[in-house]
Amino acid sequence: MSTSFDPARPETVFTYASPALKFGTGARHELPHELVALGARRVLVVTDPGVRAAGLVDDVAERVRAAGVEVVVFDGVRVEPTDESLEAAVAFAREASGTTPFDVVVAIGGGSSIDTAKAVNLLLTNEGELMDYVNAPVGHGRAPANRLLPLIALPTTTGTGSESTTICVLDVISQKVKTGISHARLRPTMAIVDPELTLSQPAGVTAAAGMDILCHALESYTARPYTSYEHKQPDERVPYCGANPISDAWSERAMSLLATAFRTAVRDGGDLAAREQMSLAATFAGLGFGNAGVHIPHANAYPIAGQVGPFTPDGYALADPHADHGLVPHGMAVSLTAPAAFRFTFEASPERHLRAAALLAPDAPTVGDPQEQLPAVLTTLMRDIGIPSGLAEVGFGEGDVDGLVEGTLKQQRLLATAPREVTAEAVARILTQSVELW
């Protein structure tokens, strides 16, 4: 990635898009109304076994059926989706659509369910196979030719922001890399965010998912500004356009909410006020990074998750207990290199890094080196909420750095948003510094 551009042709336009939003306690009960308003006659609900076992999906489905809409449920979502799990979901949906196609897709669950619903929606409405649409160079990077069905997302975790974004994230098993599909048509039509749905989220899940919120806000806030790109033609514009005034406002508000609610939500999951603040923070951060973009911590997270050994964190269960690999949840994987990544990006915008540190921890002591202020705030928070102390704790050592660097450098879509040029040497230094954070 190069931050150079022709100064005679700077970008003067930024773009912003978001789904319709319905937020608040009990909002989930208004799903039937929204489906009827869309003229839906037959809908596909995409969820995971844990969410369905909790009774939420069947309760929602019965309310929808009572409104006269046929419901088909797919509950085979894999936590941290893979190409294989997405292909299985697509095969189910294509067969179930039969001679009476679906009118709407509904996702109920965490980011894994919402991302799976995005892939299903894409391939119900467009020809080809999954890898045709996966970002290059991992896949072929094809853009969808046809419009997708309306997609309504009901998140049950606070973190991924997938209900606001144009991204579907997956592990490509054969390449041992996490990557994605990115296109504006994948963005959900509506997000129904009901904080009550997050009350059963375990502390470990709240901590990891919350770090995803935090990094969404931080990465979009420190992203390369939209004015640093060369001017694009309308057909060249992509969802990630760089930091801009609207994304900045969402990111700052998300960080302020995290400062007051994050530790409380981890400590006391039944605190509905804290859950509401975390749900708002997740929504706001998603509205920010879904337009500005994310950069180095997310790019590092993909190979960390893809190359993990037997590690399994508290609060999570493997989708396949017989799998030969463990699980580093996405938010955890993102957070593990965040302190070192923001140490690296500090020189690009010192004032933003210091402002972010102040928003996240208004009462934090000032450290001697300003470059260390944000990393210090992050590591203190991570220790308080039980995030692992570095890559070593999830099974990686300095001998694994070269493989992780290779995986990170495949994420050029993300690295292009970084405020500094990201070389292999820079990535290796960030990863090495992240082996042990404290």
Side-chain angles (χ1 to χ4, degrees):
M1 188 278 295
S2 174
T3 57
S4 63
F5 73 108
D6 181 357
R9 286 184 47 78
E11 183 58 88
T12 58
V13 175
F14 70 86
T15 58
Y16 186 83
S18 66
L21 173 64
K22 184 164 282 194
F23 184 99
T25 301
R28 66 189 184 278
H29 300 316
E30 299 190 12
L31 174 64
H33 169 80
E34 299 301 333
L35 292 172
V36 170
L38 287 170
R41 295 165 297 175
R42 190 167 191 255
V43 304
L44 173 67
V45 172
V46 178
T47 190
D48 70 61
V51 171
R52 189 167 197 186
L56 167 66
V57 174
D58 291 330
D59 176 68
V60 170
E62 284 308 307
R63 291 172 183 266
V64 172
R65 291 185 180 109
V69 180
E70 182 183 350
V71 180
V72 175
V73 177
F74 173 76
D75 63 2
V77 168
R78 183 187 190 279
V79 176
E80 303 292 337
T82 66
D83 51 342
E84 291 181 357
S85 75
L86 293 183
E87 287 165 354
V90 169
F92 174 94
R94 283 176 166 171
E95 181 175 356
S97 65
T99 58
T100 309
F102 296 110
D103 303 300
V104 181
V105 179
V106 175
I108 305 176
S112 296
S113 292
I114 300 172
D115 284 2
T116 299
K118 290 175 181 177
V120 165
N121 196 10
L122 172 66
L123 288 163
L124 275 178
T125 52
N126 286 267
E127 295 181 352
E129 303 303 325
L130 183 72
M131 293 304 293
D132 293 333
Y133 298 94
V134 169
N135 294 327
V138 179
H140 301 300
R142 181 196 297 183
N146 304 324
R147 292 188 179 278
L148 278 62
L149 298 173
L151 169 60
I152 299 178
L154 285 74
T156 60
T157 61
T158 46
T160 70
S162 184
E163 69 275 7
S164 300
T165 71
T166 63
I167 313 299
C168 163
V169 178
L170 68 148
D171 285 303
V172 178
I173 296 174
S174 62
Q175 299 186 42
K176 292 188 175 181
V177 67
K178 188 178 286 285
T179 183
I181 303 171
S182 175
H183 193 275
R185 289 182 176 172
L186 269 65
R187 193 189 308 273
T189 310
M190 170 175 280
I192 298 179
V193 182
D194 186 338
E196 280 189 331
L197 299 182
T198 70
L199 288 172
S200 62
Q201 185 173 271
V205 178
T206 301
M211 287 304 298
D212 201 19
I213 303 172
L214 189 154
C215 288
H216 287 156
L218 270 178
E219 290 173 58
S220 60
Y221 193 59
T222 58
R224 179 179 171 182
Y226 79 96
T227 52
S228 70
Y229 293 86
E230 284 194 32
H231 194 84
K232 298 180 180 66
Q233 296 302 311
D235 61 350
E236 296 174 330
R237 301 198 183 281
V238 295
Y240 282 5
C241 67
N244 61 76
I246 296 181
S247 66
D248 287 350
W250 289 123
S251 297
E252 287 188 350
R253 184 62 178 138
M255 287 186 273
S256 295
L257 287 166
L258 289 167
T260 59
F262 197 173
R263 288 174 173 85
T264 301
V266 174
R267 183 177 62 251
D268 180 8
D271 188 319
L272 183 58
R275 290 295 195 186
E276 288 176 344
Q277 286 189 301
M278 292 297 288
S279 293
L280 271 177
T283 300
F284 290 172
L287 292 171
F289 94 86
N291 293 274
V294 289
H295 52 82
I296 299 172
H298 270 74
N300 289 337
Y302 288 174
I304 291 169
Q307 298 176 31
V308 65
F311 175 80
T312 305
D314 293 337
Y316 289 83
L318 290 179
D320 178 3
H322 304 295
D324 61 357
H325 58 83
L327 170 69
V328 180
H330 176 64
M332 182 184 291
V334 169
S335 71
L336 291 175
T337 66
F342 291 113
R343 183 180 296 120
F344 169 76
T345 58
F346 177 83
E347 69 177 52
S349 53
E351 69 290 343
R352 285 192 173 236
H353 288 69
L354 294 174
R355 167 72 171 155
L359 288 170
L360 288 167
D363 300 324
T366 301
V367 301
D369 182 354
Q371 188 179 30
E372 295 298 323
Q373 187 70 30
L374 183 53
V377 165
L378 292 175
T379 53
T380 299
L381 173 62
M382 292 164 69
R383 293 179 74 166
D384 288 351
I385 62 175
I387 295 294
S389 59
L391 293 173
E393 193 171 334
V394 301
F396 294 97
E398 292 191 15
D400 300 305
V401 166
D402 288 347
L404 294 174
V405 169
E406 181 181 358
T408 295
L409 292 177
K410 291 181 179 179
Q411 313 304 323
Q412 288 301 313
R413 178 182 60 84
L414 304 182
L415 296 178
T417 314
R420 292 184 60 190
E421 183 173 0
V422 183
T423 64
E425 293 74 17
V427 175
R429 184 163 63 252
I430 290 167
L431 290 165
T432 300
Q433 292 176 3
S434 302
V435 172
E436 293 185 1
L437 296 172
W438 61 81

